[in-house]
Amino acid sequence: MSEDIEAKIRRLRELGKATAEQEARPPKPAVTRPPRRVSKIGSLRERERKRRIIIGAAIVIIILLAISFAAYTYYQNRTLRELEKAKQQKIAEVNRYFTGELANDTAKFELIKQIQAAKSIEELNKIDVKKVYEERLAELQRRKEEAAKKKALEELNKAKAQQISAIEQAFEPLLAQPLPEDLKNKAIKKLNQLKQEVENAQSKEQVLAVDPTPYLMDLWKEYYYYLIDSIPTQKVILKKGEEKRIYTKIEAKYVISKITDLGELLQYTIEKAEMVQIALVLTRDRINGAFLSPGDKIKIYAKNGTKGQYIKIADEGYVDLVLLPTTAGQISLSESQSEGSTVSTSSTTSYSESHSTSYTPGDTTITNAKNANDQYSTTQSSSDSSSAYYNYNVNLAEVLKAIAAGKIEAPEDVKEQLSQYGWKIIDLEKDSGMLVLDPTARFLVIIEVPAEFVTDILNHKDMIYIAKITG
């Protein structure tokens, strides 16, 4: 139907153009004819006819133009409505595709702008929304991937920097030690190797997998072995916090080799076991083992006064000298003697004699007595009697002083007699199974211990207990 209307409009236009051309065409030159007499009525009729023809043609043209304009207007309105509808559909398609992250994308607004500026459906159909969407989606995905790669690279570089810093900090305490040259070079080489492994890592997992701990364990142990070998004494002290123990060098290396935790290993320090002598005055009941002799190996403990518990002060020491108390160094001796005789005039003579000697070593008194009686009969009697008592109290300490002052004859013999006196008492205790000395008797004990333990021993000197190592 639209094609019929268009055809009619074209014919009307052609007809209008033809009429205009006829009117504009110059009149043909009149053929000269002999003048003829024209009737006035005929002229009027001719003019009326022409006028009617012109009016009719004008009316027809106007009608055709009106019809054409109405048809054109109708067609244009219909085209516009169809174009507007197509635009709305196209915009709806844009909104359907461009959602989520692309909801405010510039490409979306550019498409809408192009759709709204389209002048025809053909031009509108040339706008490929899906293609633009897919291109923008691909571009967005590419940017996401690039951003993700960039972020991953940044995180990887950050992880590498942190791991390298952690490795350097882990090696720093070791490298700060006075390492021998070969061990220092070995540590630096291992540090650089670990750093290079981190730099070559392609992921955070690979970065974090570079652990310096096993290598530091071996390097620290080598350093401890070096320290142990460098100490001039035969024994060394391993100190961990407040705990200190003395070992031979082989034992110390074995203890170090058995440690599997780096944190625990770094708690140890190695010190020279320099032996010193220290004097302690102890009651006999605080000498566990009781019968100490020079050369005995001992351990030293202390009683915690607040909690009543025992703590180990030194795990190894030696007895150099034990001095016995004065109660074991004093001898008490008493002696009494009496004599008598009788003579009678009956020639009977009577004689009697008694002799008694006593001495007290320690708390024991020993008495020796003798009696003799003789009788003679004579004719004469007489009587005579006599008696004596002696008590000796000898302090061996004073005897020693007298020997030192040269006031005793045969001092070498006296010293020989006294040299084993105290030990004989203790030996008699062990042999007889009887306690001679009081448990609270005080002994002076000279012990030899590593210098590291002296401070602790002196701090607990009033609570010290000595244990004799028998195995």
Side-chain angles (χ1 to χ4, degrees):
M1 181 178 179
S2 60
E3 293 178 356
D4 295 340
I5 294 173
E6 291 178 0
K8 291 178 180 179
I9 291 173
R10 282 196 296 272
R11 285 195 297 271
L12 290 173
R13 288 177 179 173
E14 291 174 358
L15 181 59
K17 289 181 180 180
T19 305
E21 289 176 357
Q22 289 178 0
E23 291 178 352
R25 188 179 300 166
K28 293 181 180 180
V31 179
T32 305
R33 291 180 181 178
R36 187 180 59 176
R37 189 175 179 181
V38 181
S39 176
K40 291 182 180 180
I41 297 172
S43 281
L44 291 173
R45 289 178 179 177
E46 184 65 24
R47 284 198 302 269
E48 183 66 24
R49 186 181 65 82
K50 290 181 179 180
R51 186 176 67 82
R52 289 177 179 178
I53 290 172
I54 293 171
I55 293 172
I59 293 171
V60 171
I61 291 172
I62 292 170
I63 293 171
L64 291 175
L65 290 174
I67 294 172
S68 298
F69 179 76
Y72 176 75
T73 302
Y74 173 79
Y75 176 75
Q76 283 294 99
N77 290 337
R78 181 182 176 184
T79 302
L80 290 173
R81 286 194 301 270
E82 290 177 354
L83 180 60
E84 186 63 27
K85 183 179 179 181
K87 287 182 178 180
Q88 295 300 323
Q89 291 175 350
K90 207 72 171 177
I91 292 173
E93 182 182 4
V94 171
N95 292 329
R96 186 170 63 253
Y97 277 107
F98 287 81
T99 58
E101 295 179 340
L102 295 176
N104 295 316
D105 192 78
T106 54
K108 173 184 177 181
F109 300 117
E110 185 64 28
L111 281 172
I112 293 175
K113 185 177 180 181
Q114 292 178 11
I115 291 170
Q116 291 176 342
K119 301 300 184 181
S120 65
I121 294 179
E122 290 77 10
E123 184 180 351
L124 192 62
N125 290 335
K126 292 179 181 180
I127 301 174
D128 193 341
V129 176
K130 184 177 180 180
K131 180 180 178 182
V132 175
Y133 165 75
E134 290 176 347
E135 290 176 352
R136 291 299 297 163
L137 186 62
E139 177 69 16
L140 180 63
Q141 188 65 28
R142 185 182 62 80
R143 289 184 180 179
K144 280 185 178 181
E145 291 175 356
E146 290 179 353
K149 288 180 181 179
K150 183 178 179 181
K151 183 178 179 181
L153 183 60
E154 290 176 353
E155 291 179 353
L156 179 60
N157 291 334
K158 183 179 179 181
K160 286 182 179 181
Q162 291 175 346
Q163 188 70 356
I164 289 175
S165 176
I167 292 173
E168 290 175 343
Q169 291 177 5
F171 272 81
E172 185 176 346
L174 177 64
L175 295 175
Q177 305 300 322
L179 303 175
E181 194 64 25
D182 57 342
L183 183 56
K184 184 175 182 180
N185 292 336
K186 184 177 180 180
I188 294 174
K189 181 179 179 181
K190 181 56 65 175
L191 171 61
N192 293 332
Q193 179 183 340
L194 292 174
K195 290 167 64 176
Q196 189 60 44
E197 289 182 13
V198 173
E199 290 291 352
N200 295 337
Q202 300 299 319
S203 65
K204 291 178 65 176
E205 290 73 17
Q206 293 179 355
V207 169
L208 298 177
V210 181
D211 185 7
T213 303
Y215 307 101
L216 285 172
M217 278 287 294
D218 294 337
L219 293 170
W220 272 106
K221 286 182 178 180
E222 288 187 39
Y223 176 58
Y224 278 126
Y225 298 155
Y226 163 76
L227 290 180
I228 292 171
D229 291 333
S230 300
I231 291 177
T233 57
Q234 293 299 317
K235 295 186 177 182
V236 297
I237 296 174
L238 291 186
K239 184 176 180 182
K240 179 185 177 184
E242 297 299 325
E243 181 182 358
K244 293 170 285 189
R245 296 198 63 180
I246 185 169
Y247 296 96
T248 64
K249 290 185 176 181
I250 295 177
E251 291 171 339
K253 288 182 178 180
Y254 178 75
V255 171
I256 294 298
S257 68
K258 298 297 288 183
I259 299 173
T260 58
D261 181 73
L262 181 60
E264 180 184 357
L265 179 64
L266 296 182
Q267 294 178 24
Y268 281 88
T269 56
I270 299 174
E271 300 176 5
K272 179 174 65 175
E274 185 178 17
M275 304 300 287
V276 297
Q277 291 184 344
I278 184 172
L280 298 174
V281 178
L282 304 173
T283 58
R284 188 174 185 183
D285 58 355
R286 285 161 56 189
I287 304 175
N288 301 331
F291 305 105
L292 292 179
S293 301
D296 286 345
K297 191 174 181 180
I298 61 173
K299 289 187 177 184
I300 302 174
Y301 296 84
K303 185 177 183 180
N304 190 323
T306 58
K307 298 181 179 180
Q309 298 175 345
Y310 293 89
I311 57 175
K312 183 167 64 177
I313 300 298
D315 66 328
E316 185 174 321
Y318 299 91
V319 176
D320 281 348
L321 180 65
V322 179
L323 298 183
L324 300 179
T326 56
T327 55
Q330 180 172 323
I331 299 176
S332 295
L333 177 65
S334 62
E335 180 179 347
S336 63
Q337 181 177 355
S338 64
E339 294 182 358
S341 61
T342 302
V343 179
S344 63
T345 57
S346 61
S347 301
T348 300
T349 302
S350 175
Y351 174 80
S352 66
E353 179 181 354
S354 66
H355 182 79
S356 175
T357 302
S358 65
Y359 60 94
T360 306
D363 296 333
T364 304
T365 302
I366 301 174
T367 303
N368 186 14
K370 293 181 180 180
N371 294 317
N373 292 316
D374 292 326
Q375 285 186 348
Y376 303 93
S377 296
T378 62
T379 59
Q380 185 180 1
S381 67
S382 65
S383 66
D384 185 12
S385 64
S386 64
S387 64
Y389 176 78
Y390 304 96
N391 185 20
Y392 306 97
N393 192 348
V394 180
N395 190 314
L396 297 183
E398 298 300 325
V399 174
L400 294 177
K401 294 178 183 178
I403 293 174
K407 300 299 182 180
I408 291 183
E409 296 182 1
E412 296 300 325
D413 294 338
V414 175
K415 285 194 293 182
E416 183 178 356
Q417 292 294 323
L418 294 178
S419 62
Q420 297 298 325
Y421 174 74
W423 299 117
K424 284 182 178 179
I425 293 177
I426 294 176
D427 290 340
L428 285 172
E429 282 187 330
K430 291 189 288 186
D431 294 340
S432 65
M434 293 186 293
L435 183 65
V436 175
L437 298 178
D438 191 284
T440 59
R442 298 168 69 83
F443 285 71
L444 177 65
V445 183
I446 308 297
I447 60 173
E448 184 177 331
V449 293
E452 181 66 25
F453 299 128
V454 172
T455 301
D456 292 337
I457 292 173
L458 295 179
N459 288 338
H460 298 85
K461 64 181 181 178
D462 296 328
M463 299 173 286
I464 288 293
Y465 286 77
I466 292 181
K468 179 180 178 180
I469 300 175
T470 59

